[in-house]
Amino acid sequence: IGKITGCVFPLQGAGQDVGRSCILVSIGGKNIMLDCGMHMGYNDDRRFPDFSYITQNGRLTDFLDCVIISHFHLDHCGALPYMSEMVGYDGPIYMTHPTKAICPILLEDFRKITVDKKGETNFFTSQMIKDCMKKVVPLNLHQTVQVDDELEIKAYYAGHVLGAAMVHIKVGSESVVYTVSVNKYAKSHISAWIDKCRPDILISESTYATTIRDSKRCRERDFLKKVHETIERGGKVLIPVFALGRAQELCILLETFWERMNLKAPIYFSTGLTEKANHYYKLFITWTNQKIRKTFVQRNMFEFKHIKAFDRSYADNPGPMVVFATPGMLHAGQSLQIFKKWAGNEKNMVIMPGYCVQGTIGHKILNGQRKLEMEGRATLDVKLQVEYMSFSAHADAKGIMQLIRMAEPRNMLLVHGEAVKMEFLKGKIEQEFSIDCYMPANGETATVTTNPSVPVDISLNLLKREMALGGPLPDPKKPRTMHGTLIMKENSLKLVSSEQALKELGLNEHQLRFTCRVQLQDPHSDPDTLHRIYTHLKSVLKGYTIQHLPDGTVMVESIVIKVSSSAEDTNAKVLLLSWSYQGGEYFFTALCIVKRLMYQ
Amino acid sequence: SGQESAVLSPAKKLRLSKPSKSAALHVDLCKASSSTDALQYLLTFSRKPVEAESVEGVVRILLEHYYKETDSSVRLKIASLLGLLSKTPGFSPDCIVDDAINTLSSEKSHQVLAQLLDSLLVIGSQLPESPAVRLRLIEVAYKNLSDSSFGVRTKCLQLLGCLGLLEAPLGKDTAMRDVQSIISDYFGDQDPRVRTAALKAMLQLHERGMKIHQIIYDQACRLLSDDYEQVRSAAVQMVWVLSQLYPESIVPIPSSNEEIRLVDDAFGKISHMVSDGSWMVRVQAAKTLGSMLQVSPHFLEQTLDKKLMSDLRRKRTAHERAKELFASGEFSSGRKWADDAPKEKLDTNTVNLIASGACGAFVHGLEDEMFEVRNAAVEALCQLARSSPSFAEKCLDFLVDMFNDEIEEVRLQSIHVLRQISTHITLREDQLDTVLAVLEDSSRDIREALHELLCFTNVSTKECIQLALLELLKNLNKYPTDRSSVWKCLKFLGSRHPTLVLPLVPELLSTHPYFDTPEPDMDDPAYIAVLVLVFNAATSCPTMPALFSDHTFRHYAYLRDSLSHLVPPLRLPGRKQVYGLDSVDCGSGSGSVESAQLFLQQSLNRVSTIQNLEAAGAPELLDLTIRDLQRLGELQTELAGAADFCATFLRCQLLLMKALQEKLWNISVPLILKQNITVTAAAQQVLDESYKLEFLYSGLENRQVATIHHVRLQAKALQLILAARTRHGLDSLISSCEKFLQDVESFQRLFLTELPHLQDSFVEKLLELLPRLSSCKPVEQVKILQTTLRQSGLLQLRLPEQIHRATATIIEPTGESDNPLRFTSGLVVALDIDATLEHVQDPQNSVKVQVLYPDGQSHVIHPKPADFRKPGPNRHRLITQVYLSHTAWTEPSQIEVRLLLAYSSSCSSRLGWTDAMDSLHPAEGTVEGTIPFSKHVKVFIMPKPARR
């Protein structure tokens, strides 16, 4: 009986649901860390997982067999340099090619903000990021990677975040699938696909466990319509975005729309991070969705035709334009500068594609504030139109259910979610699929017992012989018994024929025969009786070999029948039936027939 | 001597048959020193075809070698050759069945065995009429079903599927179980390929007409959750087949004691497959759903069910919100932050997370990642909506959503679908808004599809009309080439919604109760568009013309004349109704068509009184009738094709008649020459017209084709007579006579069934005289021909049901432009051509573009097959580019462009007379040519001298 444990990393003061993905799984004696995220909400030690929890002062490398990163969001990979360089881990780290490419950009950006801007110390350095990345082994989709002799991992496409992967981890006959709800950017419920691999556990994030979302198409259409109308009016559109993910998605959306509608107004995106990220999107085109891949035959979708890099001076150009600018909440930087310039004209529009934190200008204008106080007591009249366009379509409960249906796991493990929501999903899963569902809290360990199947080698000769014995193959409706000897030797199991087993063990074969005496009254002489039995058996048992041997016995297959009479009463006959243990089934038939004959 | 020849002829045949092929193979195989060599020989051998008579010999040699061969790859090749050879046309494989079956018994290799079974399948399907062979083959299949190799089992199942007996052999052999139960045993095979083969075999049985038992349903349903996609895909088909066979059967719902109809159950199960893991299965499932029309409405509507929820609270869908906004009179206030905030709390038990049954099947299908699935879902939606108006109403929102799909094919498909169901629906304003947004699409196909859709759309309010007009004008402004399509669209929009247009008229025409407004520019396409809308609405709204200003009436008169297909006749106050053209149009309705039809028939009957081509007064009657028919064609567009056809036919007769007039033939030889020229021209014209008759009109029946060929024969006879009179070379005369006789024979062969209808005709008389004709001298032949031709009667023309003339209209270039198209001489310039073709069959092969240069040079260009689109039945559209090139000339000059209809007429082409020999030598007796069938369009072009 095997055991798989899944452990969700403890984080002090946890309870919110953003960030810090880090799961420890031990399976078949191997310890694997799934994701190594950080919490964006803290600025102290609490932002990284508490790695001492695992090892209790031992070395991390000795304890962990590998680390697997599912995708490049910082809440899934942010603590990686800290763990590998500062805590110290030298084992392999697995991630897909795109993740490997984009992850360091984000880490570096993050480091710059924390160290250079906020002036924090005790943080990882650029060099550490580089060193950490050297330990990364890139994965291809559907490629089975042998981590060591027993542990193998395989990545599956998981959705629209570039390079996001589901991982199938297998040790012997035990396996685990890990997925995060990354298809929150996917168009449909089904974009992730996985084999029917029937893992022992499917680990899934359940942040949106209680949400079923609407079609994305309506939202996209609204967005495009608004942009289009503003452009036609001659207005300017500002779209504040964060650097990665959604920005690219919106770029593609606008680019195709411009192409389709034959529009001429320029689209710009602010330079810097986005540009670099676009470069990687260009390179990893095969990891994107069908439309983009199909178009690639003609051109790379990310070689934008209509979208150009932004220059500060463009903001004053006359005529309509669309600008993507960072950051997304209008709290600083380029997006804020452009906003200030354009806010006074009612023809213009700002589209907020995501959530804004309280206190930011983004939040204020979304709540309808029309006069903003800027620094230096200046006030800004907001005349431009403010639109909110939520694109954070969540991977919903349906997506998770879909995945369960595809993979058919034996157990389900939900992580990262609020207890109430998880309880709901758990109930649904147990009801629909009748499988066990676990939902460990932070720091809690869930243990799942498995019934590993025990492989047994069978000798080919034995198999062939048994096949020849039985009726026509295949008859899947009836299980068939076969005879053989199970030999357990040096950790392996073997099923061989009994002769071979004897030979291997150097034993002699012993014959086992049973004899049965049947007393009956019969006036005939011994040979006559025997002959009567013989002819009767012959007439009843068609298709069996029945012989009358010269030494006064009758053989039915392997059963020997002899008749002898006692000296005192010649009518009292004793019937001797003898059979080997293999012939048991024939024996009872023969006995019944003989008895019936004699009592007639 | 008769007996002798009978004896001789088979001997002769034997001598002729070629033993060479089999002999050569035999030698080759004997020579082969190794199996590799033998395989090589066989490979080269298999590349060449074998004559039917030597197949049997070849098979014997192959089999002989088969038993000797130890290498399984060679045996495999031989086995495959068996199948290949038995497909040889003209060869009946019953003589090799036994030998082929015998090979099975000794075969050890599973691969070869599978190949042998495959060849047996070919043999079996070549012999559909032999139940004995079938029985044997089925027996073989049964015997090998228990083979351990999946390949053999698969082939056996295939054999059973293709050859399995539809009726179980009665009491003949009880051991032979019902073929269905045997096949269904293999639904549970360990190999997915065998499971698939078993399902396919069962489907094959169904296709061949066997009724599949209902027991199979449960088994097939179980296979829907198979691990392998090809099994699931076949199982979807199987479940569908059974749902069509037993729609009303009642099946229990597991884990409850309720029961539902089988078709509903199957619908639910297949709907479930729309969210399968494999996209192939999803496509299959989505497609299948479309053809399950018997499903209960309750289940059908579930497919569009989508319950949204956020944090366990019910959320309204965007569709619902749009509808509410519309209902409350406030439209598109713009999305506020969190206006989609979740509403009431949901009962957790009612939320269906996994789509159980039909729930949300189409919602999933339409949002699938793969466009193939989305397309299939749209198609299915269409089929279901067409049979259920209430469902059509419900799926409207979803279809409109699809107009913004990222893949053009899907957008186009959904536009087409909406058009097909548009009779059931009325668009709401917000929906129309979404629909109209697509008008700016850069793809021409999309825009045209949308115009087509708008022609059939019902809208609810006058704002909708205004919106549509506005967007169409925008479209016109952005893509001026869409002009005619936009106008047509407005024509229908106007005639469909007269009451909605009425309140808009003052605004549209910018009239003012007191002030005169400036007269708009008559050449402005946008203004014409508005007028088309208004005039068409005015046809059924008599109060509307009162709102017109003076210039509107003038413009009406102008447009009625120049764009008569877009502007209907109107009853205008204070204006004299122009009778003539208009009156026929006004009196539209079936009555006038019927009366026109009657008139046509009467004219034809009148003509049929003419006894023979020499009858007195006949030319005048024909002349008159032709004129009548031509006029009729102009007046009654429905009958234009038929009238034209008759007129052309009669003109042929008239020409023949005039050519045969007595006085022409009795004058002395020196004067003949001049007369000959006119007669020759007439004969040629009749010949040309006969080709037009044959190829320009669609809907002809065999009878009419015979009539046309008959005319052609007459023209040829005339030519022959002329040739005899002018030419003195006897040799050429002999050959032309022979050719003519051949023509007569082929006519007889082709139209054997029609001959009884050709009484009293030229051909009938000819055939009577044929023995005499073929034996006598050419000069005599010509004489006979001449008298026969004169005395033969006029053939009565019977009209087919529907007859249409192929027409082509070049829309672009218009030929109006004064600006020359400039190009550098010696290089090419591309000219865009846009044309509509009507009633053209197979335009990809028959329509050509001809370019005539000023110096008389002409080029014929074959457009690419992809340049043809099919916007509607019997209608094609050609959008192509032709490349022009010429050396320099000095002044801008006009080239002419027109469309040609190419035909190729052999004696056999029309009737598909396929003889093996004919297909080998198609050139003989074929006449190829082209018929111009569009007007010339002139394009001004100017070459610039090449720069040095």
Side-chain angles (χ1 to χ4, degrees), chain B residues 197-235:
Chain B
L199 280 166
K200 293 238 165 96
M202 197 65 94
L203 288 167
Q204 181 80 33
L205 286 180
H206 165 72
E207 256 166 53
R208 288 178 44 224
M210 190 189 274
K211 187 154 187 179
I212 307 295
H213 304 320
Q214 205 192 325
I215 332 159
I216 307 292
Y217 180 71
D218 280 339
Q219 303 174 350
C221 287
R222 237 170 285 138
L223 287 180
L224 285 176
S225 51
D226 198 276
D227 281 10
Y228 291 83
E229 59 177 326
Q230 68 270 46
V231 183
R232 293 199 300 271
S233 175

Side-chain angles (χ1 to χ4, degrees), chain A residues 337-596:
Chain A
Q337 281 175 5
I338 300 172
F339 176 75
K340 279 189 204 157
K341 271 190 185 149
W342 293 356
N345 191 338
E346 65 273 10
K347 274 205 278 184
N348 297 342
M349 180 184 280
V350 60
I351 298 180
M352 308 298 295
Y355 173 78
C356 290
V357 170
Q358 204 159 14
T360 58
I361 290 185
H363 188 257
K364 282 180 194 156
I365 57 170
L366 276 178
N367 281 327
Q369 211 167 316
R370 282 320 210 170
K371 265 201 197 316
L372 296 174
E373 283 176 34
M374 310 307 284
E375 64 269 25
R377 282 208 211 146
T379 54
L380 183 65
D381 279 331
V382 181
K383 285 190 186 148
L384 89 177
Q385 295 179 48
V386 180
E387 295 290 343
Y388 171 72
M389 206 49 69
S390 159
F391 279 92
S392 55
H394 326 298
D396 52 7
K398 269 190 181 171
I400 296 172
M401 299 301 264
Q402 202 64 254
L403 201 65
I404 299 177
R405 192 181 147 195
M406 256 191 272
E408 290 189 2
R410 295 192 186 86
N411 296 285
M412 187 72 202
L413 190 76
L414 296 174
V415 293
H416 300 157
E418 287 166 37
V420 192
K421 297 181 181 179
M422 279 158 81
E423 201 64 56
F424 163 77
L425 189 59
K426 177 178 149 121
K428 283 289 168 192
I429 292 171
E430 283 172 351
Q431 180 194 334
E432 302 270 2
F433 299 103
S434 29
I435 56 173
D436 283 335
C437 185
Y438 301 85
M439 29 178 282
N442 278 342
E444 200 183 310
T445 304
T447 307
V448 174
T449 48
T450 58
N451 280 320
S453 48
V454 182
V456 175
D457 287 332
I458 182 164
S459 87
L460 193 62
N461 283 332
L462 178 63
L463 205 58
K464 278 188 176 160
R465 202 176 71 186
E466 288 292 328
M467 247 166 60
L469 276 178
L473 267 178
D475 192 357
K477 287 174 192 154
K478 283 188 198 138
R480 268 236 302 269
T481 48
M482 57 184 290
H483 300 271
T485 312
L486 190 69
I487 302 176
M488 288 173 73
K489 210 175 172 185
E490 295 158 2
N491 248 344
S492 73
L493 296 171
K494 232 161 76 180
L495 191 66
V496 294
S497 63
S498 45
E499 294 89 53
Q500 202 187 338
L502 286 171
K503 218 165 85 189
E504 262 181 51
L505 300 172
L507 294 173
N508 287 326
E509 191 178 354
H510 292 271
Q511 279 282 345
L512 198 61
R513 277 194 92 81
F514 302 88
T515 310
C516 172
R517 294 163 64 95
V518 182
Q519 299 234 353
L520 37 81
Q521 296 289 318
D522 190 44
H524 304 281
S525 70
D526 292 359
D528 279 357
T529 312
L530 197 63
H531 191 75
R532 268 182 65 207
I533 291 172
Y534 170 69
T535 43
H536 183 69
L537 281 174
K538 190 101 179 164
S539 68
V540 175
L541 294 174
K542 290 208 171 76
Y544 290 87
T545 46
I546 300 170
Q547 289 164 292
H548 193 169
L549 299 176
D551 62 343
T553 54
V554 170
M555 291 268 291
V556 183
E557 297 284 334
S558 64
I559 307 165
V560 182
I561 304 173
K562 241 180 193 167
V563 180
S564 63
S565 49
S566 61
E568 54 268 31
D569 183 1
T570 44
N571 278 357
K573 298 273 161 49
V574 177
L575 219 58
L576 281 171
L577 288 101
S578 157
W579 72 97
S580 70
Y581 79 102
Q582 288 104 330
E585 59 241 69
Y586 304 118
F587 165 70
F588 288 104
T589 334
L591 184 63
C592 285
I593 294 166
V594 172
K595 269 191 170 169
R596 223 177 293 138

